[in-house]
C-alpha cells in the first residue's frame, strides 16, 4: 500500500501535472511548487558570505489600499553596496546533461555567446570543451568527428587535435618537412571543464592561467543531486527568449493558474474569485548580495545562486489538499520524510536565447523513473514550456523597447507575489547593470521573431538534444512507416487475389487490417507532429 500511495503522489508531481488526486495526497505543479515546506539549507553557504551592514526594506501588502503609484516589493535584507559588480566570466556555466550527449560525436553548443564544441576524449576519459573553431580556416570543429585514435578531427581538411588542444596531425604537411603541427598557432583554445551532478560545466575563459581553476573554485554544489536515494531525471530545452526572462518566469508562481490553465494543478483558494483560482501569495526575498539571494514563499524555501541556479525545496511532502485535515490512518500509512526539490539551471546563450536544464529530485516513487522512459515525461513538460513561450517572447521585446534599466518604472508590481521577480531584477540592476556582459559579441538587438510554428518548434529546440526523445521519435517514425507498408500490402493482396482463392471472411479481415493500419499510421503521424514538432496553445479556448 505504501508503494501505491507513493505512486499516486507522483502522479501529481512535476511529471504528471494535470492528474487529479484526493485531498490527502501531495500536489505540485511542474515549474512552481506552492506546497513546499520552508527550510533553508545550510549547504548553500556561498550565498551568505560577505553580507555586512544590512538595511531593511518594507514589503508591500498583497492588497494595497491606495491606487497611487507605489514602490515595488523590496528585499527585506540587502547586503552592503561595496561588494562590487558581478563578473559574468568568473563563474562556472552548465553546458549540457551528460545523459543527453553521445560520446561518439562532437556537440555544438553556445553559452555566453561563445561557440563551443563538447566532445568525449576517450584517451583521458573526460568530456572536453573547446572553442568551436579550427585554427586552419576557422571551420566549426563540431561538424567534425572523433577519429580512430580518439582525436577530434576537423572534416574540412582533416586536422586532428588531442584533448589538450594540441594539433597532432596535418595531412597536408609533408612528412619530411618542418613539424608545422607543433606550432603554437595550430592549437585550439581549450576551456576548463568538469562534470558535476551529471552535467558538463565549463569556465568561460581559455587563458592558460585558468587551466587549474577547478582547484580554487568549483561549480555550485547541490547536495540532493548527489544523494543516491533521490531520483534525478533531467531534461533540457533551448528557449527563444533570454536568460533574464527565463529566470524571472520560473520565480513567478502567480502566472501558473492562468498561463498554464488546465496543465498544472495548483492549490485552490477557499473562495475562488475567478475560474482559474488565482490568489494572493506571501513571498519575500530574505538575503541579497552579489552571489544571489534567498527567498521564501508560503510553503517553499528558494535560493538563487548567481548566475544560473534557481532552487526551490522542501523537507517533507505532506497532504495539504484543500485545507482539510488528513486522517490519522492516512498519516500512519503514508511514507515519512518525503522530500522534493525543483532545480532549474538557466543558461545565457545569446541575446534572445537561453537554455533550460531542469531536474526534480525526490526520494519517493523512485521506481517510476526506472520504468517510464524520460520522453513520456518530457511531452507534458514541453507543453508547459510552450503554453507561455509566446507570451514571454513578446514580453522580452517590450522590455527591450523600454530599456532593461527602466523595468521597475514600466512594470507595475504592487503585490507580494512578484517579490522574487523584483528581487532578481534588483540583483541584475545593482550588480550587473541590468544586462549580461556579452563582451561586444552582439549589437544588443534581439533577433527577429520567426513565425509561430518555428518559434515553438520542439524538434530542434529539444528532440535532437534529448537522447530519450530522439530515440522515441525515430522509433515512432519507423512504426508509422511499417503500418503504412502493411496497409498498402494488405490492399495489394486483396486486389491481386482471385475471387475463388480468398474467402469473403479472409478478404474482409485483410481489408479491415489495412484500414486499421492506415488509420493508426495517420493518428501516429499526428501524435508525432504534436509532441515532437509543434503543439500550439490557444489560451482563449482553454
Amino acid at each position: 500500500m505504501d508503494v501505491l500511495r507513493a505512486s499516486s503522489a507522483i502522479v501529481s508531481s512535476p511529471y504528471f501535472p494535470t492528474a487529479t488526486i484526493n485531498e490527502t495526497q501531495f500536489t505540485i505543479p511542474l515549474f512552481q511548487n506552492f506546497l513546499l515546506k520552508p527550510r533553508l539549507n545550510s549547504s548553500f553557504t556561498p550565498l551568505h558570505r560577505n553580507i555586512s551592514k544590512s538595511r531593511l526594506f518594507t514589503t508591500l501588502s498583497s492588497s494595497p489600499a491606495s491606487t497611487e503609484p507605489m514602490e515595488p516589493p523590496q528585499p527585506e535584507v540587502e547586503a552592503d553596496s561595496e561588494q562590487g559588480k558581478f563578473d559574468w566570466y568568473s563563474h562556472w556555466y552548465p553546458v549540457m546533461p551528460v545523459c543527453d550527449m553521445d560520446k561518439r560525436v562532437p556537440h555544438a553548443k553556445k553559452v555566453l555567446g561563445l561557440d563551443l564544441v563538447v566532445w568525449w576524449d576517450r584517451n583521458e576519459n573526460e568530456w572536453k570543451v573547446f572553442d568551436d573553431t579550427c585554427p586552419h580556416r576557422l571551420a566549426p570543429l563540431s561538424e567534425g568527428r572523433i577519429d580512430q585514435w580518439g582525436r577530434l578531427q576537423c572534416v574540412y581538411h582533416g586536422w586532428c587535435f588531442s584533448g589538450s588542444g594540441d594539433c597532432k596531425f596535418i595531412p597536408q604537411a609533408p612528412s619530411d618537412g618542418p613539424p608545422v603541427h607543433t606550432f603554437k598557432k595550430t592549437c585550439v583554445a581549450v576551456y576548463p571543464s568538469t562534470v558535476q551532478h551529471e552535467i558538463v560545466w565549463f569556465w568561460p575563459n581559455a587563458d592558460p592561467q585558468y587551466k587549474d581553476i577547478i582547484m580554487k573554485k568549483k561549480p555550485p554544489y547541490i547536495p540532493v543531486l548527489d544523494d543516491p536515494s533521490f531520483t534525478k531525471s533531467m531534461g533540457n530545452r533551448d528557449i527563444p527568449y533570454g536568460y533574464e526572462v527565463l529566470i524571472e518566469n520560473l520565480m513567478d508562481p502567480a502566472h501558473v493558474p492562468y498561463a498554464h490553465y488546465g496543465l498544472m494543478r495548483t492549490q485552490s483558494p477557499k473562495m475562488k474569485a475567478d475560474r482559474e483560482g488565482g490568489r494572493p501569495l506571501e513571498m519575500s526575498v530574505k538575503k541579497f548580495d552579489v552571489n544571489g539571494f534567498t527567498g521564501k514563499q508560503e510553503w517553499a524555501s528558494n535560493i538563487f545562486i548567481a548566475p544560473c541556479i534557481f532552487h526551490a525545496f522542501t523537507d517533507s511532502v505532506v497532504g495539504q489538499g484543500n485545507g482539510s485535515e488528513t486522517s490519522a490512518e492516512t498519516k500512519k500509512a503514508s511514507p515519512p520524510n518525503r522530500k522534493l526539490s525543483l532545480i532549474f539551471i538557466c543558461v545565457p546563450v545569446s541575446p534572445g536565447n537561453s537554455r533550460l536544464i531542469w531536474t526534480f529530485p525526490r526520494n519517493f516513487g523512485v521506481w517510476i523513473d526506472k520504468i517510464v522512459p524520460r520522453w513520456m515525461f518530457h511531452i507534458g513538460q514541453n507543453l508547459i514550456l510552450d503554453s507561455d513561450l509566446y507570451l514571454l517572447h513578446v514580453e522580452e521585446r517590450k522590455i527591450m523597447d523600454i530599456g532593461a534599466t527602466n523595468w521597475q518604472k514600466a512594470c507595475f508590481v504592487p503585490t507580494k507575489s512578484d517579490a522574487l521577480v523584483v528581487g532578481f531584477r534588483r540583483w541584475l540592476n545593482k550588480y550587473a547593470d541590468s544586462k549580461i556582459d556579452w563582451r561586444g559579441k552582439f549589437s544588443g538587438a534581439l533577433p527577429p521573431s520567426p513565425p509561430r510554428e518555428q518559434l515553438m518548434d520542439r524538434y530542434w529546440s529539444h528532440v535532437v538534444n534529448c537522447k530519450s526523445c530522439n530515440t522515441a521519435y525515430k522509433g515512432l517514425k519507423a512504426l508509422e512507416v511499417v503500418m503504412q507498408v502493411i496497409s498498402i500490402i494488405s490492399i495489394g493482396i486483396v486486389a491481386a487475389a482471385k475471387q475463388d482463392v480468398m474467402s469473403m471472411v479472409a478478404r474482409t479481415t485483410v481489408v479491415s487490417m489495412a484500414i486499421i493500419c492506415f488509420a493508426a499510421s495517420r493518428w501516429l503521424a499526428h501524435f508525432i507532429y504534436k509532441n515532437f514538432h509543434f503543439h500550439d496553445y490557444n489560451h482563449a479556448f482553454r
Side-chain angles (χ1 to χ4, degrees):
M1 289 300 294
D2 288 347
V3 174
L4 292 176
R5 290 188 177 92
S7 63
S8 298
I10 289 294
V11 167
S12 60
S13 78
Y15 302 108
F16 296 91
T18 58
T20 303
I21 60 175
N22 65 54
E23 65 186 11
T24 64
Q25 293 168 327
F26 173 69
T27 60
I28 177 171
L30 174 62
F31 282 153
Q32 273 78 26
N33 180 9
F34 302 141
L35 305 177
L36 292 174
K37 196 172 183 179
R39 173 182 177 269
L40 290 178
N41 192 328
S42 59
S43 300
F44 290 87
T45 52
L47 274 173
H48 309 298
R49 291 199 301 260
N50 302 323
I51 298 181
S52 54
K53 298 179 181 178
S54 301
R55 51 197 179 94
L56 298 178
F57 291 85
T58 303
T59 51
L60 298 177
S61 166
S62 58
S63 302
S66 171
T67 58
E68 294 298 315
M70 305 178 70
E71 287 295 317
Q74 309 292 338
E76 292 183 4
V77 180
E78 186 170 352
D80 196 298
S81 61
E82 297 178 358
Q83 288 186 314
K85 294 298 182 181
F86 183 80
D87 184 354
W88 292 91
Y89 293 83
S90 293
H91 294 270
W92 289 92
Y93 286 84
V95 183
M96 277 289 285
V98 171
C99 63
D100 288 325
M101 290 196 296
D102 189 339
K103 291 182 178 181
R104 299 171 298 173
V105 298
H107 302 268
K109 296 297 168 187
K110 187 188 287 285
V111 178
L112 272 183
L114 301 171
D115 290 313
L116 311 173
V117 55
V118 186
W119 64 286
W120 175 254
D121 180 5
R122 67 171 181 258
N123 295 311
E124 298 186 26
N125 290 320
E126 291 179 349
W127 286 101
K128 300 290 185 178
V129 180
F130 285 9
D131 177 29
D132 193 14
T133 305
C134 179
H136 177 215
R137 298 265 292 280
L138 312 186
L141 293 171
S142 57
E143 290 297 315
R145 68 182 188 91
I146 299 171
D147 71 8
Q148 60 267 44
W149 294 282
R151 303 173 301 190
L152 179 63
Q153 182 185 66
C154 176
V155 293
Y156 193 24
H157 292 92
W159 289 30
C160 296
F161 305 90
S162 68
S164 61
D166 298 331
C167 184
K168 294 299 183 183
F169 178 56
I170 299 178
Q172 295 77 25
S175 58
D176 56 350
V180 292
H181 68 277
T182 62
F183 292 1
K184 185 176 181 181
K185 291 191 69 174
T186 64
C187 296
V188 179
V190 181
Y191 293 99
S193 60
T194 189
V195 173
Q196 181 165 289
H197 302 320
E198 295 301 310
I199 297 172
V200 175
W201 300 71
F202 92 111
W203 185 268
N205 196 320
D207 191 292
Q209 66 175 309
Y210 296 105
K211 181 180 179 181
D212 298 318
I213 189 65
I214 190 69
M215 306 301 294
K216 301 175 183 177
K217 185 175 183 178
K218 300 182 186 301
Y221 181 71
I222 306 174
V224 70
L225 290 180
D226 271 350
D227 191 329
S229 65
F230 282 73
T231 180
K232 294 175 281 289
S233 178
M234 288 188 181
N236 77 87
R237 183 165 173 178
D238 290 341
I239 309 291
Y241 50 81
Y243 153 91
E244 305 95 313
V245 175
L246 174 61
I247 284 192
E248 70 176 30
N249 184 55
L250 296 172
M251 293 181 175
D252 172 29
H255 81 282
V256 172
Y258 301 93
H260 306 306
Y261 179 74
L263 299 177
M264 301 167 66
R265 183 173 181 181
T266 61
Q267 183 180 4
S268 298
K270 293 181 179 179
M271 296 187 62
K272 294 180 70 170
D274 57 16
R275 178 192 67 163
E276 293 81 5
R279 61 188 179 86
L281 300 175
E282 291 292 326
M283 303 179 70
S284 61
V285 172
K286 292 299 181 183
K287 293 185 179 179
F288 182 102
D289 68 9
V290 70
N291 298 309
F293 54 81
T294 62
K296 201 171 184 180
Q297 61 192 81
E298 293 171 345
W299 301 97
S301 294
N302 305 289
I303 295 177
F304 167 56
I305 306 176
C308 296
I309 297 175
F310 178 60
H311 181 195
F313 56 93
T314 179
D315 266 341
S316 57
V317 178
V318 294
Q320 298 194 35
N322 296 323
S324 61
E325 295 184 2
T326 305
S327 67
E329 181 181 352
T330 303
K331 288 181 180 179
K332 183 178 180 180
S334 298
N337 299 322
R338 291 182 176 182
K339 298 179 182 179
L340 174 71
S341 287
L342 305 180
I343 299 172
F344 305 104
I345 304 177
C346 306
V347 184
V349 173
S350 62
N353 292 283
S354 57
R355 183 174 305 116
L356 174 63
I357 300 172
W358 68 83
T359 179
F360 309 121
R362 67 185 189 279
N363 64 352
F364 56 99
V366 175
W367 60 271
I368 289 183
D369 281 25
K370 298 178 181 179
I371 297 175
V372 182
R374 281 194 304 147
W375 68 269
M376 296 186 69
F377 300 144
H378 289 178
I379 287 176
Q381 292 162 357
N382 275 310
L383 184 57
I384 298 293
L385 288 169
D386 284 336
S387 57
D388 61 8
L389 188 151
Y390 185 76
L391 303 176
L392 299 169
H393 179 82
V394 174
E395 174 188 308
E396 180 178 34
R397 277 146 179 76
K398 293 185 177 181
I399 292 173
M400 180 63 70
D401 289 342
I402 64 173
T405 54
N406 297 320
W407 185 89
Q408 286 189 331
K409 294 180 181 178
C411 298
F412 183 56
V413 283
T415 69
K416 291 182 179 179
S417 65
D418 289 310
L420 294 184
V421 175
V422 172
F424 171 71
R425 283 290 175 176
R426 285 178 58 82
W427 175 88
L428 193 66
N429 181 60
K430 180 171 183 176
Y431 297 110
D433 297 324
S434 297
K435 62 181 183 297
I436 297 171
D437 180 11
W438 301 110
R439 291 197 172 176
K441 292 185 286 290
F442 303 99
S443 64
L446 294 174
S449 293
R452 191 180 183 99
E453 187 169 352
Q454 183 180 339
L455 182 71
M456 300 172 66
D457 171 74
R458 289 188 189 178
Y459 183 79
W460 292 107
S461 64
H462 173 74
V463 174
V464 296
N465 298 314
C466 174
K467 187 176 293 185
S468 179
C469 289
N470 199 13
T471 301
Y473 175 80
K474 293 176 180 177
L476 292 173
K477 289 292 287 184
L479 180 59
E480 178 192 350
V481 172
V482 167
M483 288 191 293
Q484 290 175 350
V485 170
I486 292 175
S487 177
I488 293 171
I489 292 176
S490 300
I491 294 297
I493 291 173
V494 173
K498 295 181 179 180
Q499 189 80 20
D500 55 349
V501 173
M502 181 178 290
S503 68
M504 182 60 66
V505 174
R507 189 181 297 272
T508 303
T509 301
V510 173
V511 170
S512 299
M513 183 175 66
I515 294 173
I516 291 172
C517 286
F518 179 78
S521 71
R522 292 297 82 210
W523 177 88
L524 187 56
H526 178 72
F527 176 86
I528 292 171
Y529 181 74
K530 288 196 71 173
N531 291 290
F532 295 94
H533 284 283
F534 172 69
H535 191 153
D536 203 358
Y537 191 96
N538 192 326
H539 294 267
F541 294 104
R542 296 298 299 185

